[in-house]
Amino acid sequence: MASDVDLVPLVGRADHLATLRSALLDGVGPGQTAAVFVTGESGVGKTRLLREAGDRLRVAGALVLTGACLDIGDSSPLHPLLQALRRFDAELTASHARTSSAVRGLLQMFAAETAGPDGAGALLERVSRGLHLIAQGRPLVLVLDDLQWVDRSTRQLLLYLLAGLGDLQVSVLAAVRAESLQGAHPLRRVLTELRRLRSVRVLDLSPLDRAGTEQLATAVVGAPLGAEAAESLWQRSGGNPFVVEELARDLREGRDGLSETLREVFLARVDALPQAAHAVVHAVAAGVEPVAHWLLAEVTRLPEGELIDAVRAAVAHRLLVGDDDGYRLRHRLVAEVLAHELLPAERSVLHRRYAEALTTATAELHQARLAHHWRLAGEPARALPAAVAAAQEAERLHGYAEAHRHWSAALQLAGPPAASADGGLDVDRAELLRHAAETAHHCGEHARALSLLEELAAAEDAPPACALHIRRARYLAAAGRSAPAEAEYRRALTDVDCTPRERATAAAHLAELLLHLGRYADAGDRAREALELAAEVEGSVSEVVLASAALGFSEAYLEDPDAGLAVMREALDTAERAGRPEDVACAYLHLAELLTGPLNILEEGVVVARRGAERVAELGLGRTYETRLLAIATNGLFRVGQWAEAEKVVAAALRHRPSGADAVELLLARCRLSVGYGDIAAADRDLEAVATVLAGGGARHVIPLLTLRAGLAMWQGRHDLARQAVQRGLTESRSDDVGILAALVWHGLRAEAEAHAARATVDATAVRRLREVAERVARKSEHAARPVRDVVDGFLALCEAEVSRLDGSDPALWARSVAAWDRRHHPYPAAYSRLRQAEALLARRSRTASAGRLLREAYQVAQGLGAEPLSTEIRTLAARARVVLEERGASADGRSVTRAEPVGDELAVLTTREREVLAAVAEGLTNKEIGQRLFISERTIGVHVSHIFDKLQVRTRVQASAIFLRNRSE
């Protein structure tokens, strides 16, 4: 149904419509995503704009799915998507059988979805595949109204969709009531996160200006307004289109005596309704929109003909709108006004009628609505079962935030323990507490989880003490409170009443906690204990995988890398045989971490990380474990100098839009690239995001965070900030991880050397402390595995060379650092060391030819990596020393090109791996054949070949092969 006001033109929004089409359709390519969030006050015209934009996008060829969020928030997981699919299915004709089948298949998937070990990630994966089938190659636009009421599951779905779905072009257009986003509204965090994406924008829909207000009012009234009427309407409406329409209608109907406030406008409109229409509006205001026609009939108890006439009157008076789903108030402000017009008993009667009607309906019950109405009807005994069923429904769809809300509501309905004892509701309060605590833990409400757990522990029928210790430890660890978490695990292990499985679980979790704290020896001891305990318990796969991860790291740091690898590979085999997705993912994760971390087997680690990422994506864990594995791959690629490939990997991982702790490693990985590239703004954003997420987290992430902050500050010339970051890392960290500590110490000594070079103050105390820490790191590394010592030795060589810059840089020390990093195939620190070696030689005015060669070699590597800050410093030194880094030449086609000055061995700029690839290229092998020979993916070989072309400044494989053969013959 539509009233005459619906026929008025859309005023003052032409530019917005053009912007929406450009952002959501014209500017979005295949496989890309975009989103526009329209915000504004109530009545500003967001819904009308969405409807007009959706119609135009549909005409332009897009597939538009339209849904709206319920005004009971988290109570209905994924409601907007389900509603949109049902609407779309109802619109399809017989000629769209294939599309209809895809839509109904996705709806059936939701109906059959059950909670499982693969978690919410698998559900999102299946939704993406279903939408892909529905779109059939067309651009897909999801239009969502009233996003301020969005449930947690739909928020997660939005983040996932905006991550990109392969070749699916998907856009999101959503409206948000601005005044609803106050305080800690969860949508505020989502919008803040999404606004960082270039493809996402927020469009603030402002009220109409005076000219627009008069134009809209003139269209409604049907005649130009007089000056006095126009001024009065402008002053009273403030340009709000809804209020303008209401006041203009009053003018048209001659109701000039209405009050100037919105409440009076709405109440006057309701009072003008026939009695039956009056009852209809009050009923819809008390319901959960949309209110279906049959449900409204049950609540109002009006005869069919009278009900239709009443609805028509309410629509004509601009209070209701109707569509196939049911009826809504034209503006929710109507409900806010009418809420004060009914007596409590009258509101209770309406909610009771809703609940009774929903209970007797033959269709599937919507438990969330049922619980809502029984509660407001003052029937806790009837609301409680519905709340529990709603919680179970939410858990089935992995909507833990919604489930927690319902379990909490069930607890409130059940009342305090004394109420049950005095003849209250017959309910297992301990069971409600257990579910409420666990769902709070899963949705990140760690303080709430701990509070509920303490209440559970105080209950008469509380779980055994050992189970409480383990659960409390898990919650504490998730909340970042490592010390009390460790104490709880130890209490569980000493509790004589613990079962063998509980002991194995406690030991395995404690081992992993110690691993994250960097206490590798202790982690190994606990891991062995956990494995011994797990061997006596049938089906303890998770405990075995968790303990093996800790043991593998421990062995790797205790000079037995082969044993550590063997443990990790066995853990992976065990997980694959059992088939539990999270166990497989955990095994891949820790194996990749072991290879790219302690063992420094970077290329194999990258391969394992990528293979693991593909595997866990198949298992439905793309947003969590795949993201973390791709972060590990990114770090490995960064270290071996494949920055272009690393950038592609991190971009692919960010399409999943990870949040919380899952995003930390990925943001740190991207920040390393940003610091290397010199993208200061991007690096600073990532560092701030990581600092917010960590909020006092462990040294495993805090030290790299501070190291990156120091590196960024040094490229900015802020040696004081770099010094502060390093000193904070040394003060606040208790990590035994000698690798990350060595990198931090190098940055600290480099900051002091940079300050000295800039003739700024050098902190002698800081230098002394850093040298002491470096000596301590050297002693600790003597007890580590050989690969760990190799990396630490490289950083210690940098440290010693940086110290020499304080009293005359020693080129011999820098030469040693160059050799150390060349042996480890880390091109970036090797190029930095070449720069400093050349600087030291030039300062001593000796071997200037060697200095020039070093600068050219460093410059070619820096240019190949894209390390602009390092390239800039090399150019500055070369200009000062009159060293030519490049010379102009002519290409084969006659164009001017830049070529590196010959340095004797033209292959000197290539890494060892790149030389291996070039040798295979010279044999005439394809990228696929080279990958098979070197056990590297074809895509990685392509990146190697691209880097080789850039460094040798050639365009074809023939030219590259000629250079290789010429230098080999020499």
Side-chain angles (χ1 to χ4, degrees):
M1 302 179 192
S3 72
D4 55 348
V5 182
D6 283 323
L7 303 178
V8 301
L10 184 65
V11 174
R13 307 304 189 198
D15 291 341
H16 295 94
L17 288 171
T19 298
L20 292 177
R21 168 157 180 166
S22 174
L24 298 174
L25 186 62
D26 297 340
V28 184
Q32 296 180 339
T33 65
V36 176
F37 293 91
V38 180
T39 65
E41 65 181 1
S42 300
V44 79
K46 301 182 294 297
T47 299
R48 176 74 185 276
L49 181 65
L50 259 62
R51 184 167 66 249
E52 293 281 348
D55 291 341
R56 297 191 183 197
L57 291 171
R58 190 177 290 108
V59 170
L63 172 60
V64 181
L65 299 180
T66 303
C69 302
L70 291 176
D71 62 347
I72 50 177
D74 284 342
S75 296
S76 184
L78 297 175
H79 171 78
L81 178 62
L82 294 171
Q83 181 190 60
L85 292 171
R86 293 188 184 111
R87 283 179 173 177
F88 183 60
D89 185 45
E91 296 170 358
L92 294 173
T93 63
S95 62
H96 300 88
R98 182 179 176 184
T99 303
S100 180
S101 176
V103 172
R104 292 175 184 177
L106 187 53
L107 289 171
Q108 290 173 2
M109 184 274 289
F110 281 115
E113 178 67 15
T114 58
D118 50 355
L123 176 63
L124 297 178
E125 292 283 346
R126 290 193 288 272
V127 170
S128 72
R129 290 195 295 268
L131 292 175
H132 186 278
L133 292 174
I134 294 170
Q136 296 182 9
R138 290 175 292 174
L140 174 65
V141 180
L142 184 59
V143 179
L144 300 178
D145 202 2
D146 290 326
L147 201 67
Q148 69 274 1
W149 295 319
V150 67
D151 59 277
R152 171 68 175 270
S153 297
T154 305
R155 291 198 301 270
Q156 292 177 338
L157 178 63
L158 285 178
L159 292 171
Y160 184 82
L161 288 176
L162 293 179
L165 302 173
D167 58 354
L168 176 64
Q169 180 180 330
V170 59
S171 301
V172 174
L173 173 61
V176 186
R177 187 186 295 181
E179 61 266 32
S180 297
L181 300 184
Q182 302 297 325
H185 196 291
L187 189 59
R188 294 183 66 184
R189 296 191 295 272
V190 174
L191 290 178
T192 299
E193 182 178 356
L194 288 174
R195 290 184 78 160
R196 297 175 181 173
L197 297 175
R198 293 181 181 179
S199 60
V200 174
R201 62 183 300 178
V202 176
L203 178 62
D204 186 19
L205 201 60
S206 302
L208 300 175
D209 58 17
R210 181 161 182 164
T213 298
E214 186 169 348
Q215 181 184 354
L216 176 59
T218 298
V220 174
V221 173
L225 301 182
E228 183 177 348
E231 174 65 20
S232 174
L233 190 144
W234 165 248
Q235 293 295 333
R236 296 170 66 189
S237 70
N240 184 290
F242 172 63
V243 180
V244 170
E245 291 180 16
E246 294 297 320
L247 295 177
R249 185 176 175 82
D250 289 338
L251 287 175
R252 190 183 69 182
E253 302 297 331
R255 291 190 289 268
D256 295 332
L258 293 177
S259 170
E260 297 182 358
T261 65
L262 277 175
R263 179 180 296 278
E264 290 171 335
V265 169
F266 289 131
L267 290 178
R269 184 69 62 246
V270 174
D271 289 342
L273 290 172
Q275 186 61 37
H278 191 280
V280 164
V281 171
H282 275 285
V284 173
V288 177
E289 296 181 346
V291 178
H293 183 80
W294 70 267
L295 184 56
L296 185 61
E298 292 288 334
V299 173
T300 59
R301 300 181 179 178
L302 293 172
E304 183 67 13
E306 189 175 347
L307 174 61
I308 291 177
D309 290 341
V311 170
R312 285 187 180 278
V315 171
H317 280 74
R318 302 297 297 137
L319 288 168
L320 289 187
V321 292
D323 53 34
D324 293 339
D325 291 331
Y327 306 109
R328 292 178 175 81
L329 294 172
R330 185 177 179 274
H331 201 290
R332 288 304 299 178
L333 287 176
V334 177
E336 297 173 16
V337 171
L338 296 181
H340 302 284
E341 299 304 309
L342 291 179
L343 296 172
E346 292 176 305
R347 289 196 298 269
S348 178
V349 167
L350 284 175
H351 287 295
R352 177 183 294 278
R353 289 181 180 178
Y354 269 113
E356 290 173 344
L358 289 169
T359 301
T360 58
T362 56
E364 180 183 355
L365 290 178
H366 193 305
Q367 298 291 350
R369 293 192 182 201
L370 194 60
H372 171 76
H373 288 300
W374 277 130
R375 178 176 60 84
L376 294 180
E379 293 281 358
R382 290 182 164 181
L384 179 57
V388 171
Q392 293 170 339
E393 176 188 2
E395 283 194 60
R396 181 172 63 85
L397 292 175
H398 317 292
Y400 293 112
E402 299 93 325
H404 174 59
R405 175 178 178 146
H406 287 303
W407 289 121
S408 297
L411 280 170
Q412 292 180 343
L413 291 166
S420 297
D422 294 339
L425 298 178
D426 183 15
V427 61
D428 186 347
R429 185 175 177 81
E431 185 71 7
L432 296 180
L433 285 167
R434 185 179 68 81
H435 282 290
E438 192 67 10
T439 51
H441 169 66
H442 283 307
C443 70
E445 297 290 342
H446 304 304
R448 174 67 173 161
L450 287 165
S451 174
L452 289 167
L453 185 63
E454 294 311 310
E455 187 176 349
L456 175 62
E460 292 183 1
D461 49 352
C466 186
L468 288 171
H469 287 315
I470 294 174
R471 185 172 292 210
R472 186 179 294 111
R474 288 173 49 230
Y475 295 174
L476 287 167
R481 298 168 60 183
S482 302
E486 180 182 351
E488 287 296 323
Y489 282 132
R490 294 188 183 281
R491 290 190 186 100
L493 288 169
T494 58
D495 192 326
V496 295
D497 294 327
C498 272
T499 65
R501 176 176 292 280
E502 288 172 333
R503 291 182 187 280
T505 300
H509 279 281
L510 177 56
E512 189 185 38
L513 177 62
L514 294 171
L515 177 68
H516 285 293
L517 293 175
R519 292 159 55 183
Y520 301 116
D522 292 342
D525 292 340
R526 285 300 177 186
R528 293 185 185 90
E529 178 186 356
L531 290 171
E532 291 175 1
L533 292 168
E536 301 175 1
V537 179
E538 184 178 356
S540 56
V541 175
S542 297
E543 289 78 7
V544 169
V545 173
L546 208 61
S548 297
L551 182 60
F553 267 87
S554 178
E555 290 290 340
Y557 265 83
L558 296 175
E559 299 198 58
D560 197 348
D562 292 336
L565 270 176
V567 171
M568 291 304 301
R569 296 191 194 282
E570 178 61 28
L572 178 56
D573 291 342
T574 301
E576 286 283 15
R577 286 194 301 270
R580 186 171 182 269
E582 284 191 332
D583 291 339
V584 175
C586 182
Y588 266 114
L589 180 71
H590 291 302
L591 178 58
E593 284 179 327
L594 181 64
L595 291 168
T596 59
L599 299 190
N600 196 41
I601 309 176
L602 297 176
E603 290 186 343
E604 183 182 353
V606 170
V607 170
V608 170
R610 286 181 139 179
R611 185 190 305 143
E614 293 176 1
R615 179 73 175 107
V616 300
E618 295 172 358
L619 297 173
L621 301 178
R623 191 161 185 253
T624 52
Y625 281 99
E626 183 187 3
T627 296
R628 295 167 67 183
L629 283 160
L630 290 178
I632 294 172
T634 300
N635 288 331
L637 291 167
F638 175 85
R639 290 166 186 150
V640 298
Q642 297 183 29
W643 289 13
E645 181 70 3
E647 193 171 18
K648 294 177 184 177
V649 172
V650 78
L654 283 168
R655 289 167 53 198
H656 290 297
R657 298 308 304 154
S659 60
D662 290 330
V664 169
E665 282 287 0
L666 192 60
L667 290 174
L668 287 174
R670 184 171 68 173
C671 185
R672 289 185 183 93
L673 287 167
S674 298
V675 172
Y677 286 141
D679 191 341
I680 293 174
D684 195 57
R685 282 197 304 270
D686 284 342
L687 290 173
E688 289 299 324
V690 171
T692 301
V693 173
L694 285 178
R700 184 178 182 182
H701 294 126
V702 171
I703 291 181
L705 166 69
L706 295 171
T707 301
L708 286 169
R709 193 174 290 284
L712 182 63
M714 279 186 279
W715 287 134
Q716 295 175 286
R718 296 298 307 274
H719 317 116
D720 54 335
L721 295 181
R723 179 186 296 133
Q724 291 173 13
V726 172
Q727 292 302 316
R728 179 184 164 193
L730 296 176
T731 302
E732 298 186 5
S733 163
R734 299 191 183 111
S735 174
D736 293 327
D737 190 322
V738 289
I740 60 175
L741 275 175
L744 181 71
V745 173
W746 166 46
H747 277 69
L749 290 170
R750 179 183 160 199
E752 300 301 335
E754 297 287 353
H756 176 75
R759 298 184 180 180
T761 303
V762 175
D763 190 333
T765 302
V767 173
R768 183 174 62 255
R769 184 183 181 195
L770 287 165
R771 297 183 71 173
E772 292 172 353
V773 176
E775 293 173 0
R776 188 165 68 248
V777 167
R779 290 194 299 271
K780 285 185 177 182
S781 69
E782 294 175 359
H783 304 289
R786 178 72 260 176
V788 178
R789 295 201 301 273
D790 286 343
V791 173
V792 172
D793 288 346
F795 282 116
L796 292 178
L798 282 168
C799 290
E800 188 176 1
E802 295 287 4
V803 170
S804 76
R805 292 177 67 193
L806 297 173
D807 54 4
S809 191
D810 186 346
L813 292 177
W814 286 112
R816 194 180 78 174
S817 179
V818 169
W821 290 109
D822 276 346
R823 285 196 305 273
R824 292 162 183 81
H825 311 302
H826 287 227
Y828 183 75
Y832 172 80
S833 299
R834 282 185 169 86
L835 163 66
R836 295 302 174 211
Q837 183 184 359
E839 184 181 56
L841 289 171
L842 292 171
R844 298 188 177 194
R845 292 181 172 80
S846 63
R847 301 174 61 189
T848 54
S850 296
R853 174 180 59 79
L854 289 165
L855 285 174
R856 283 186 285 271
E857 292 174 355
Y859 189 64
Q860 285 192 339
V861 172
Q863 286 288 92
L865 294 173
E868 186 55 34
L870 181 59
S871 296
T872 300
E873 191 161 351
I874 294 171
R875 285 195 295 266
T876 300
L877 179 60
R880 195 164 63 240
R882 299 182 180 179
V883 171
V884 178
L885 296 175
E886 301 173 324
E887 61 180 9
R888 306 296 293 183
S891 66
D893 57 7
R895 291 187 302 165
S896 177
V897 298
T898 300
R899 296 186 182 276
E901 189 173 313
V903 295
D905 181 4
E906 294 175 280
L907 306 182
V909 296
L910 302 182
T911 66
T912 301
R913 176 61 85 185
E914 287 168 345
R915 293 192 188 203
E916 293 175 350
V917 172
L918 180 57
V921 169
E923 292 181 33
L925 299 181
T926 65
N927 286 358
K928 183 176 182 179
E929 291 169 337
I930 298 171
Q932 292 171 346
R933 174 185 287 187
L934 300 179
F935 303 101
I936 305 176
S937 71
E938 183 179 356
R939 183 178 179 184
T940 302
I941 293 298
V943 175
H944 276 308
V945 172
S946 177
H947 287 170
I948 291 168
F949 284 8
D950 289 342
K951 292 180 180 181
L952 297 182
Q953 299 203 15
V954 298
R955 295 185 176 184
T956 68
R957 297 169 84 93
V958 173
Q959 292 172 336
S961 299
I963 292 176
F964 174 80
L965 295 172
R966 180 171 65 245
N967 283 269
R968 188 178 65 173
S969 63
E970 295 173 356

